[in-house]
Amino acid sequence: MIRDSRGLAIDSVLYLNQWGGTNGYSLERLSVNASSNLPTNWGSSFDIEQSTPGRINSLTPKQFDLSVAGMNFNPRFPVEGDDVFYFSFHQE
């Protein structure tokens, strides 16, 4: 439980190990805006260091995250020496 300077509860969570944080990876909260007790708001860190102390959680969506809906290459099966062009697109 996290309390403020007056001793009032700010946030708390009843953790279940099925939420993640196993095999050496830390349990991370996805969003501070979603309920602490929502199981889908938690998961195992996917950071290369297995945790993110002092940094934004690896599960938290970043403002600069990109999503690619598809990608095409030309030529589709290049061989050595070919110039390869790729085209990506996203959905809105």
Side-chain angles (χ1 to χ4, degrees):
M1 180 173 294
I2 300 174
R3 297 181 183 271
D4 66 13
S5 61
R6 298 170 294 166
L8 300 174
I10 297 173
D11 203 357
S12 66
V13 64
L14 176 61
Y15 165 72
L16 300 174
N17 63 358
Q18 294 89 348
W19 294 4
T22 58
N23 298 322
Y25 287 84
S26 292
L27 181 70
E28 291 186 351
R29 188 172 181 176
L30 179 67
S31 171
V32 296
N33 298 317
S35 171
S36 297
N37 290 304
L38 186 64
T40 56
N41 196 32
W42 296 89
S44 295
S45 173
F46 57 76
D47 187 81
I48 193 167
E49 296 176 6
Q50 301 177 327
S51 62
T52 54
R55 296 181 282 140
I56 296 174
N57 287 345
S58 62
L59 302 179
T60 302
K62 315 304 184 282
Q63 290 182 1
F64 54 84
D65 277 355
L66 300 175
S67 175
V68 176
M71 186 175 288
N72 295 320
F73 295 86
N74 187 17
R76 184 168 179 179
F77 301 103
V79 295
E80 186 176 342
D82 282 352
D83 289 329
V84 177
F85 299 92
Y86 67 93
F87 309 91
S88 60
F89 50 94
H90 69 280
Q91 294 176 324
E92 293 189 33

